[in-house]
């Protein structure tokens, strides 16, 4: 035990000595939270828009004012022809154009149907869809104001209630996702690389011939990262709560238990990868492509799993982060108890066991 | 010149001796594109809807059959609001619950107002917004038709005179894959150019082999290009490979000039390789570099507009993007491929990138020391 402690302290010193990496280890969660919170949002704000008004009457002016008064759109320039719109789109400065045809108001008076043409830059389909959605809402509102005093009886109201996240904050999605990503990154990636490093530089041999049991060596290498990962998880949750108001509705103990389970899972994954690779490059390669990208993209962190093709949905069931994110969301945001997450917990525990068994099987104390 | 060529030859020999490198160049991008491009979709394709039909009238049944008939809904109906309606959002078995109150039809028939309640699991705010919009629209349309059928001849549905007619240029089907693929190409090219070259240099440092090169008469001005050019070539090959795959599998259009794209990419690669080498000069071990690199990559990639439009980011982020090479490339590759923008359209980006490349390379050569 004493030997093991001494070894762990040595590992802590190694990490502590590398100030820059340490700084990044604690800096990453803070920067990620800020970026996901303020920069990578799915909202549309201040989109430059051009308006081509061939009618130039009071009604089109009213609608134009409404569009430009909204927080979503900003007027770029006035144009006189569709050709000009094309050029502006190609230069990439403008993404939306609104065209009012001739005699807009007159047609309206004659109770004809009048179109408002909207051209959106479809090269970013998401933004295009959102912009058109907002614009349609503005026009419908303008229409309603024009039709004031019409028949109002026999109407059906739809009362919408947004459960768990009434203000539709994006933070409710990215805080759990960031926790999963950072835990994975530190526990799995760092562990596998630091073990592979010992192999590559040959210092592993020095340790293997020492009286320490191989298991102790691995555990000693892993313990510091457990501590760092746990601190990072706490930082993210604290920041998410303080800045973005992400609540913790469920039990704190259950949450801590699940976080620790996931850290163990990631560590066992890291150890498994390190047994498969002999250089840091290979370990990085494995963790980056086999771990990080799928963790970000196939876990429901950014893109909802239910909307993926069926084959990918099956594939995503192999991603530990997918289950962990469901657990986090249920406990933190919905206040669900263990009864609602036992299935996911069991899956994570099972995965941990498999990774550990494979690592033990593949671990050799001989080096070629 | 001869010295550089010989170094390049040596580097190529060494690179291809590594058994990981070929799969890394050809198989990884393939898998990535297949998985990432298909996974990255914001479209809501299925909505699990639980309808609590407490009215059980012709009106409510009509609404349910209308919803069930739509491909996007998977509808389950229960007659009374019991435990299931309470827990289905908690255990993720439904995305939304629609409750139709008793007497809904009777009230409407008497020309009074009535209301239905729609509750959504809003943890994913974006999806919840879409579900709300879509479902409300469906219900409203149903209601309008119902009203019209009650009083034929009444212009109850004629309220919407102004129609918004959207057209989506460059991507009429709003195919999200065409948007994502250029983004993935940026990641691939950047990893090949910036990461591999930098890690290669640090590896020599960590293993000590760099000292052997340092004691030779090879000069910095020979050594740095010798290290960079192989990865520069590999990254360009990667781009061609990625474009071919994108065209074969996803029919991603190439509307602009390929020559222009490759020209811009070459300049871009010089810039990011310069940054990579600079980071390499600052690091002692591969692990250190990896982490700095990872940090830089994640931060700047997310800010570059990979998933979300740059124009909607806060002002400070847009200012930071002036020094973010990924942002320039992300913008230009989409412009050339999807919109067919020409040289004149991307001229400002081209000039910025060229200045960037020169500055980054000078910085890298200056920071590289032959002494320990």
């Amino acid at each position: 035990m004493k030997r093991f402690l001494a070894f762990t302290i040595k590992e802590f010193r190694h990490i502590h000595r590398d100030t820059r990496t340490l700084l990044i280890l604690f800096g990453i969660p803070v920067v990620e939270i800020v970026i996901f919170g303020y920069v990578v949002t799915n909202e549309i704000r201040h989109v430059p828009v051009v308006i081509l008004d061939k009618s130039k009457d009071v009604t089109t002016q009213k609608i134009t004012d409404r569009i430009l008064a909204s927080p979503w759109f900003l007027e770029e320039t006035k144009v006189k022809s569709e050709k000009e719109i094309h050029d502006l789109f190609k230069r990439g400065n403008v993404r939306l154009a609104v065209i009012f045809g001739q005699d807009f108001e007159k047609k309206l008076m004659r109770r004809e149907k009048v179109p408002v043409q909207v051209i959106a830059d479809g090269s970013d389909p998401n933004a295009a869809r959102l912009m058109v959605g907002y614009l349609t809402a503005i026009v419908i509102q303008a229409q309603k104001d024009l039709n004031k005093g019409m028949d109002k009886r026999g109407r059906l109201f739809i009362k919408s209630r947004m459960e768990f996240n009434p203000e539709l904050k994006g933070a409710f999605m990215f805080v759990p996702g960031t926790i999963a990503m950072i835990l994975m990154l530190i526990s799995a990636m760092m562990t596998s690389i630091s073990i592979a490093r010992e192999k590559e530089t040959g210092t592993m041999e020095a340790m293997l011939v020492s009286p320490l049991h191989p298991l102790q060596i691995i555990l000693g290498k892993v313990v510091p990262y457990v501590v760092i990962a746990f601190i990072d998880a706490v930082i993210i949750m604290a920041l998410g709560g303080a800045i973005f108001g992400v609540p913790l509705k469920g039990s704190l103990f259950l949450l801590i238990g699940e976080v620790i389970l996931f850290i163990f899972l990631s560590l066992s994954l890291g150890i498994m990868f390190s047994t498969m690779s002999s250089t840091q490059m290979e370990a990085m390669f494995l963790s980056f492509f086999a771990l990080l990208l799928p963790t970000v993209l196939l876990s429901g962190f950014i893109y909802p799993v239910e909307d993926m093709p069926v084959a990918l949905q099956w594939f995503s069931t192999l991603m530990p982060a997918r289950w962990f994110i469901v657990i986090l969301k249920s406990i933190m945001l919905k206040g669900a108890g263990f009864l609602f997450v036992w299935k996911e917990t069991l899956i994570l525990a099972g995965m941990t066991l498999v990774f550990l068994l494979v690592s033990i099987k593949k671990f050799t104390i001989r080096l070629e | 010149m001869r010295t550089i060529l010989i170094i390049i030859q040596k580097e190529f020999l060494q690179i291809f001796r590594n058994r990981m490198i070929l799969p890394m160049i050809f198989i990884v991008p393939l898998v990535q594109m297949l998985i990432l491009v298909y996974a990255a979709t914001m479209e809501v394709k299925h909505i699990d809807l639980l309808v609590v039909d407490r009215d059980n009238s012709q009106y409510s049944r009509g609404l349910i059959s209308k919803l069930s008939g739509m491909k996007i809904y998977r509808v389950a109906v229960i007659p009374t609001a019991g435990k299931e309606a309470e827990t289905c959002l908690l255990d993720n078995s439904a995305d939304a619950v629609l409750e139709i109150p008793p007497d809904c039809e009777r009230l409407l028939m008497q020309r009074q107002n009535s209301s239905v309640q729609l509750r959504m699991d809003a943890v994913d705010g974006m999806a919840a917004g879409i579900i709300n919009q879509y479902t409300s629209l469906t219900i409203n349309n149903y209601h309008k038709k119902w009203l019209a059928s009650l009083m034929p001849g009444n212009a109850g549905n004629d309220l919407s005179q102004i129609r918004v007619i959207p057209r989506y240029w460059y991507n009429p089907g709003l195919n999200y894959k065409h948007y994502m693929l250029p983004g993935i190409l940026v990641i691939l090219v950047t990893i090949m150019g910036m990461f591999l070259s930098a890690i290669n240099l640090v590896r020599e440092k960590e293993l000590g082999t760099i000292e052997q090169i340092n004691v030779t008469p090879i000069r910095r001005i020979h050594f740095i290009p010798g290290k960079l050019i192989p990865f520069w070539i590999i990254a360009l090959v990667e781009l061609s490979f990625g474009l071919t795959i994108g065209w074969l599998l996803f029919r991603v259009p190439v509307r602009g000039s390929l020559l222009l794209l490759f020209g811009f990419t070459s300049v871009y690669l010089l810039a990011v390789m310069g940054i990579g080498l600079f980071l390499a000069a600052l690091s002692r071990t591969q692990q250190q570099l990896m982490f700095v690199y990872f940090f830089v990559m994640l931060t700047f990639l997310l800010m570059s507009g990979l998933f979300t439009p740059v124009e909607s980011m806060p002002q400070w982020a847009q200012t930071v993007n002036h020094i973010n090479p990924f942002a320039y490339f992300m913008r230009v590759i989409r412009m050339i491929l999807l919109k067919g923008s020409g040289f004149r359209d991307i001229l400002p980006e081209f000039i910025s990138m060229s200045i960037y490349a020169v500055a980054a390379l000078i910085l890298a050569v200056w920071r590289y020391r032959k002494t320990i």
Side-chain angles (χ1 to χ4, degrees):
Chain A
M1 196 60 211
K2 211 174 144 206
R3 272 187 209 145
F4 175 66
L5 262 179
F7 183 74
T8 313
I9 291 171
K10 166 201 157 264
E11 286 301 322
F12 264 112
R13 284 210 184 116
H14 262 306
I15 297 174
H16 181 72
R17 209 183 282 158
D18 189 353
T19 330
R20 192 173 346 136
T21 307
L22 203 62
L23 211 66
I24 290 180
L25 282 180
F26 290 117
I28 279 187
V30 179
V31 173
E32 288 321 291
I33 287 283
V34 169
I35 290 201
F36 276 112
Y38 294 110
V39 181
V40 187
T41 58
N42 279 306
E43 290 153 40
I44 295 289
R45 264 176 307 214
H46 315 308
V47 177
V49 54
V50 285
I51 290 173
L52 174 57
D53 190 347
K54 292 180 189 159
S55 179
K56 292 215 176 66
D57 53 48
V58 181
T59 313
T60 59
Q61 191 55 48
K62 259 189 197 156
I63 299 179
T64 307
D65 287 346
R66 267 174 183 275
I67 293 172
L68 298 181
S70 75
W72 306 301
F73 304 112
L74 263 182
E75 182 162 37
E76 177 78 8
T77 41
K78 285 225 176 344
V79 289
K80 292 202 178 58
S81 70
E82 296 202 21
K83 169 87 182 56
E84 279 178 69
I85 297 178
H86 214 96
D87 291 341
L88 284 169
F89 269 50
K90 267 200 173 172
R91 236 173 285 149
N93 300 330
V94 175
R95 297 165 154 266
L96 190 72
V98 183
I99 305 175
F100 296 104
Q102 269 156 6
D103 300 327
F104 193 86
E105 202 173 43
K106 275 184 208 151
K107 281 185 187 159
L108 213 56
M109 291 297 185
R110 292 200 298 259
R111 304 207 58 73
E112 283 173 39
K113 297 241 183 217
V114 265
V116 176
Q117 240 190 58
V118 175
I119 301 173
D121 180 347
S123 63
D124 180 348
N126 250 328
R129 203 177 280 130
L130 278 176
M131 289 185 300
V132 170
Y134 288 136
L135 201 91
T136 312
I138 293 173
V139 174
I140 289 177
Q141 195 55 45
Q143 164 104 66
K144 270 191 190 150
D145 289 355
L146 289 172
N147 288 335
K148 254 184 202 154
M150 303 288 280
D151 192 3
K152 273 198 179 142
R153 289 178 306 160
R155 273 167 55 176
L156 180 72
F157 294 104
I158 299 164
K159 287 187 190 151
S160 300
R161 236 172 65 192
M162 296 295 182
E163 300 278 349
F164 313 121
N165 182 7
E167 291 163 57
L168 300 183
K169 287 185 195 159
F172 284 50
M173 276 292 272
F174 74 76
V175 167
T178 312
I179 295 175
M181 189 183 77
I182 299 282
L183 290 187
M184 199 59 148
L185 172 75
I186 292 174
S187 316
M189 217 159 166
M190 287 300 277
T191 319
S192 68
I193 294 169
S194 78
I195 296 178
R197 178 177 147 83
E198 302 273 3
K199 284 198 204 167
E200 190 174 2
T201 47
T203 44
M204 194 65 163
E205 288 177 54
M207 286 192 293
L208 284 174
V209 295
S210 73
L212 280 164
H213 192 271
L215 200 67
Q216 285 177 319
I217 297 176
I218 299 294
L219 279 181
K221 293 225 77 112
V222 154
V223 169
Y225 294 113
V226 175
V227 177
I228 294 175
F230 193 76
I231 295 175
D232 270 351
V234 173
I235 292 180
I236 299 171
M237 273 186 243
L239 281 180
I243 305 181
F244 301 105
V246 177
L248 171 57
K249 287 194 185 144
S251 138
L252 178 65
F253 286 107
L254 180 58
L255 186 69
I256 291 178
E258 299 281 1
V259 167
I260 291 177
L261 172 63
F262 189 69
I263 292 178
F264 275 115
L265 181 144
S266 312
L267 289 174
S268 51
L269 199 59
I271 295 172
M272 187 175 90
F273 280 161
S274 72
T275 60
M276 292 174 174
S277 41
S278 53
T279 64
Q280 293 180 67
M281 183 102 152
E282 287 178 15
M284 266 175 235
F285 178 66
L286 266 176
S287 359
F288 192 78
F289 287 104
L291 262 188
L292 211 69
L293 278 173
T295 302
V296 174
L297 285 148
L298 285 181
S299 64
F301 173 11
I302 298 180
Y303 299 103
V305 177
E306 304 87 64
D307 301 326
M308 293 173 191
V310 183
L312 279 188
Q313 289 190 32
W314 277 101
F315 190 55
S316 81
T317 57
L318 297 176
M319 299 293 136
R322 176 190 168 170
W323 306 108
F324 183 57
I325 288 178
V326 172
I327 295 177
L328 282 182
K329 281 180 187 162
S330 300
I331 297 178
M332 291 173 69
L333 310 175
K334 301 184 177 178
F338 186 66
L339 282 178
F340 285 99
V341 294
W342 67 270
K343 254 184 285 172
E344 285 83 2
T345 311
L346 207 63
I347 293 174
L348 290 187
M351 284 178 168
T352 315
L353 204 65
V354 172
F355 295 148
L356 277 181
L357 285 177
V358 173
S359 333
I360 292 174
K361 199 127 202 279
K362 290 208 94 177
F363 189 80
T364 45
I365 46 170
R366 311 246 171 264
L367 304 157
E368 330 70 297
Chain B
M1 198 57 210
R2 224 179 80 85
T3 326
I4 297 184
L5 279 179
I6 289 171
I7 298 175
I8 294 175
Q9 197 189 1
K10 168 219 156 229
E11 285 300 323
F12 265 121
L13 274 177
Q14 232 175 357
I15 292 168
F16 287 108
R17 204 179 283 160
N18 183 345
R19 66 191 164 89
M20 295 292 270
I21 210 80
L22 278 176
M24 199 156 172
I25 297 175
F26 293 109
I27 296 174
V28 167
L30 196 70
V31 174
Q32 263 203 332
M33 274 190 248
L34 281 176
I35 293 187
L36 305 190
V37 172
Y38 277 116
T41 167
M42 287 282 186
E43 266 173 82
V44 174
K45 287 190 191 123
H46 297 291
I47 303 173
D48 284 312
L49 181 71
L50 180 71
V51 183
V52 183
D53 183 8
R54 299 170 62 194
D55 194 23
N56 195 19
S57 60
Q58 224 176 338
Y59 180 81
S60 69
R61 281 191 302 266
L63 178 59
I64 291 168
S65 81
K66 160 126 193 185
L67 289 167
S68 314
M70 296 171 76
K71 229 175 94 192
I72 193 166
Y73 292 105
R74 286 186 287 220
V75 182
V77 186
I78 53 171
T80 47
K83 200 168 160 275
E84 201 186 340
E86 290 305 311
T87 56
C88 68
L89 292 183
L90 262 183
D91 63 14
N92 300 323
S93 61
D95 299 314
V97 182
L98 174 70
E99 192 175 331
I100 307 171
D103 291 340
C104 182
E105 186 186 51
R106 197 175 52 81
L107 285 171
L108 291 173
M109 286 289 227
Q110 292 167 354
R111 306 285 278 136
Q112 289 177 30
N113 296 335
S114 180
S115 61
V116 294
Q117 195 188 44
L118 183 63
R119 292 189 297 142
M120 271 140 300
D121 177 353
V123 168
D124 182 350
M126 171 98 180
I130 296 174
I131 294 175
N132 184 25
Q133 209 180 1
Y134 202 79
T135 311
S136 302
L137 195 73
T138 313
I139 298 175
N140 272 331
N141 283 342
Y142 171 77
H143 185 67
K144 261 190 216 161
K145 279 216 184 101
W146 182 80
L147 273 183
S149 71
L150 270 190
M151 317 158 265
N154 186 312
N157 51 351
D158 203 25
L159 282 173
S160 45
Q161 239 183 309
I162 308 179
R163 273 279 178 75
V164 173
I165 301 175
R167 273 197 293 166
Y168 299 100
W169 274 0
Y170 313 118
N171 188 359
L174 290 184
N175 189 338
Y176 200 67
K177 295 179 182 95
H178 292 182
Y179 172 68
M180 268 324 279
L181 194 112
I184 308 271
L185 285 180
V186 171
I187 303 182
L188 287 176
V189 168
T190 310
I191 289 180
M192 290 300 148
M194 182 171 168
F195 184 54
L196 283 190
S197 59
I199 206 96
N200 178 290
L201 199 71
V202 174
R203 187 178 144 87
E204 298 232 25
K205 259 199 211 177
E206 196 172 3
L207 297 181
T209 43
I210 200 146
E211 286 171 43
Q212 292 168 19
I213 293 173
N214 283 343
V215 294
T216 60
I218 298 172
R219 296 174 50 210
R220 278 195 289 187
I221 209 80
H222 293 144
F223 181 63
I224 299 266
K227 275 274 177 207
L228 288 190
I229 291 172
F231 292 101
W232 189 68
I233 295 172
I234 290 177
L236 287 176
V237 170
E238 184 78 20
L239 178 66
S240 337
F241 181 65
L243 278 175
T244 317
I245 297 287
W247 187 76
L248 284 177
L249 292 181
F250 306 106
R251 295 281 152 202
V252 171
V254 183
R255 300 214 170 87
S257 134
L258 274 181
L259 195 69
L260 184 62
L261 180 61
F262 275 86
F264 188 86
T265 312
S266 310
V267 179
Y268 165 77
L269 276 172
L270 290 180
V272 291
M273 286 174 138
I275 299 171
L277 280 193
F278 181 68
L279 294 181
L282 294 177
S283 317
R284 273 180 298 111
T285 64
Q286 293 179 62
Q287 194 180 15
Q288 257 184 4
L289 175 76
M290 231 274 311
F291 254 71
V292 175
Y293 176 79
F294 182 77
F295 186 65
V296 170
M297 183 94 179
L298 197 66
T299 312
F300 285 103
L301 206 57
L302 285 171
M303 292 183 75
S304 72
L306 174 62
F307 301 116
T308 53
V310 173
E311 291 89 348
S312 301
M313 294 177 183
Q315 200 52 53
W316 62 265
Q318 296 194 32
T319 313
V320 172
N321 267 341
H322 285 300
I323 57 156
N324 181 357
F326 304 162
Y328 288 95
F329 192 34
M330 195 69 77
R331 188 176 148 91
V332 167
I333 194 173
R334 282 185 179 140
M335 280 166 80
I336 297 179
L337 287 181
L338 305 178
K339 298 193 201 175
S341 303
F343 183 67
R344 279 207 3 240
D345 298 316
I346 66 158
L347 190 64
E349 283 86 359
F350 207 99
I351 293 172
S352 310
M353 214 65 248
S354 309
I355 298 173
Y356 210 124
V358 173
L361 284 178
I362 290 177
L363 197 67
V365 174
W366 167 76
R367 194 63 188 72
Y368 175 77
R369 295 285 141 83
K370 282 191 80 176
T371 48
I372 308 169

